[in-house]
Amino acid sequence: MGPARPSPRLATDVATVLLTIGTIVALLVIGRHLWFASDEWNIMTEYPSGNLLVPFNGHLSAVPVLLYQALFHTTGVVGHLPYRILGLACLGALAAAVGIYSRARVGPGVALVVVAAVLWNSSGSTNLLFPFLLN
């Protein structure tokens, strides 16, 4: 008997994790020269003391505003990196949630495809450009 081979399920789960990490690292590198965008300046100027229940562009954005304001008050606007890291961490959390949900319903192979679709769609690249759109 030879060494035990990993199950296809485990291999697919590892591939999903590596896909997620690789995509986030790639987006971090690709967007390294980005700076704040118009929506981000609006959040900094219109929500300086919270106002978490005031809609942003017609949408309730309490959690993103809270997270963004926490960064604004702790790191300031010296660099965009903390904001991008927050946006990419939220994209990773979304990928994990979609992966766990879809794996239980359609299996690990299809879950890998679904996670790739979530990570590589246009909204994912928008999060690279404008982390506030993490909502």
Side-chain angles (χ1 to χ4, degrees), residues 56-110:
F56 178 75
N57 288 339
H59 303 282
L60 180 61
S61 300
V63 173
V65 168
L66 178 68
L67 294 172
Y68 220 81
Q69 283 297 314
L71 275 179
F72 177 67
H73 290 294
T74 57
T75 66
V77 291
V78 173
H80 198 243
L81 183 62
Y83 298 87
R84 288 187 42 248
I85 288 172
L86 174 65
L88 293 171
C90 290
L91 183 63
L94 174 64
V98 167
I100 290 167
Y101 181 83
S102 59
R103 182 182 186 272
R105 283 150 185 80
V106 294
V110 176

Side-chain angles (χ1 to χ4, degrees), residues 6-44:
S7 72
R9 220 174 159 94
L10 176 63
T12 308
D13 290 343
V14 169
T16 303
V17 169
L18 292 176
L19 170 77
T20 302
I21 292 170
T23 301
I24 289 172
V25 168
L27 292 174
L28 189 60
V29 171
I30 291 167
R32 68 187 173 276
H33 299 298
L34 295 174
W35 190 246
F36 296 97
S38 62
D39 281 353
E40 295 174 305
W41 290 112
N42 292 338
I43 296 305
M44 290 178 205

